[in-house]
Amino acid sequence: DIVMTQSPLSLPVTPGEPASISCRSSQSLLYSNGQNYLNWYLQKPGQSPRLLIYLGSNRASGVPDRFSGSGSGTDFTLKISRVEAEDVGFYYCMQALQTPLTFGQGTRLEIK
Amino acid sequence: QTQLQQSGPGLVKPSQTLSLTCAISGDSVSSNSVAWNWIRQSPSRGLEWLGRTYYLSKWNYDYATSVKSRITINSDTSRNQFSLQLNSVTPDDTAVYYCARWAHQDRHFDLWGRGTLVTVSS
C-alpha cells in the first residue's frame, strides 16, 4: 500500500498570513501520462470531506484561488496564500494512483 | 443536484453484520464514468477507504485488504443505490462511515454522503 505522510499535523495561522502543508508518498504518484494522482481535501468541523485540489494542482469547482497545489512524484504541497477564518479544519492528501486508495493523517489548521 | 443519502443503524453488536445503504439522486449507479465507494473515519485509523463498485461492461468490485474477508458492496439498479455489508464486526469497526462518488477520468472523490456514525457495542 502507498503510505501518505503529512506535515505538520497542527498548523496555527494568523488570518491574512500564508499557510503551507506538505504531503509525501512512499512511491511516486507520477503516472506515465504525466499526471500526478494526488488530491487534497478539506474537512470542516462536523462536515464530510470536500475536494479542493485534484491531479496535484487543479482546483476543484468553487474553490477560492487562494488555494493552490504543487509538486510531483513523491513530494506535494498545498498552499493557502492568505488564510481566512473559514479555512479552519482538517486537510488531507490522498493518493489516487492505485487501490487501496490511501489518505494522509490530516493536518489541523487553526486560527491564532 | 446530485446527492447521496445514507441510511442504516447506528449501533451494531459485536460479531454481527454492519449494513448501510447509500441512495443516489441525480446520477445512476450504473454510470460508466464513476465508481461508488465506502470510506470510514475513526480517531485510530483516520480516513480509510474500504472498497468500491462500478459498472464498465460488467460490475466490478475492489476492496481494501484490511477488510477483504468481511466486506461486501452491492449495487441495486432498481432502487439506484449501493450498499455496504461488513461481517463479524468488533469495537475496532466503530467509525463514521461515508459513501462517496469517484470520478474515473480525473480520479477523485467529487461527492460525499453526510456520514453515519456506527458504534459497535453490546
Side-chain angles (χ1 to χ4, degrees):
Chain A
D1 298 2
I2 298 176
V3 178
M4 306 299 292
T5 304
Q6 291 182 228
S7 63
L9 298 185
S10 181
L11 184 57
V13 185
T14 300
E17 293 296 305
S20 180
I21 300 170
S22 173
C23 176
R24 288 189 171 179
S25 55
S26 61
Q27 62 187 77
S28 178
L29 303 183
L30 178 62
Y31 195 54
S32 55
N33 61 4
Q35 299 284 10
N36 283 285
Y37 287 108
L38 186 283
N39 303 328
W40 289 97
Y41 297 87
L42 165 60
Q43 186 174 30
K44 294 185 177 182
Q47 297 185 14
S48 306
R50 166 200 172 195
L51 178 69
L52 292 177
I53 302 288
Y54 63 96
L55 296 177
S57 60
N58 294 274
R59 267 191 307 276
S61 175
V63 175
D65 61 6
R66 64 179 182 276
F67 290 91
S68 64
S70 63
S72 184
T74 61
D75 291 295
F76 299 88
T77 303
L78 176 70
K79 291 182 179 178
I80 310 172
S81 59
R82 295 173 305 279
V83 170
E84 298 186 4
E86 66 179 19
D87 299 336
V88 297
F90 281 87
Y91 290 79
Y92 297 93
C93 60
M94 189 207 84
Q95 65 83 12
L97 181 68
Q98 63 187 45
T99 57
L101 305 170
T102 48
F103 294 85
Q105 321 96 299
T107 295
R108 180 182 181 183
L109 187 147
E110 59 181 20
I111 299 296
K112 279 184 182 176
Chain B
Q1 182 180 1
T2 306
Q3 291 185 329
L4 301 178
Q5 183 66 44
Q6 297 182 221
S7 59
L11 181 63
V12 181
K13 292 184 178 351
S15 80
Q16 294 191 343
T17 297
L18 181 160
S19 297
L20 296 173
T21 298
C22 186
I24 304 162
S25 57
D27 199 349
S28 170
V29 71
S30 303
S31 170
N32 60 13
S33 62
V34 299
W36 303 99
N37 297 255
W38 288 99
I39 298 158
R40 67 183 177 183
Q41 184 174 32
S42 65
S44 59
R45 294 175 177 270
L47 282 165
E48 179 184 18
W49 175 81
L50 298 177
R52 66 184 180 184
T53 184
Y54 59 97
Y55 187 79
L56 277 176
S57 303
K58 64 179 178 71
W59 285 103
N60 296 272
Y61 306 91
D62 295 314
Y63 297 128
T65 306
S66 61
V67 295
K68 195 166 188 175
S69 63
R70 300 192 291 132
I71 190 173
T72 302
I73 294 176
N74 283 318
S75 58
D76 184 339
T77 55
S78 64
R79 297 183 180 184
N80 202 34
Q81 63 186 29
F82 64 107
S83 63
L84 167 71
Q85 286 192 311
L86 189 64
N87 302 325
S88 305
V89 297
T90 71
D92 191 46
D93 293 309
T94 294
V96 176
Y97 287 76
Y98 294 99
C99 58
R101 185 178 70 179
W102 170 266
H104 281 310
Q105 181 173 353
D106 294 329
R107 299 198 193 183
H108 58 260
F109 295 115
D110 63 353
L111 182 67
W112 295 67
R114 298 185 69 175
T116 301
L117 172 60
V118 179
T119 301
V120 179
S121 175
S122 54

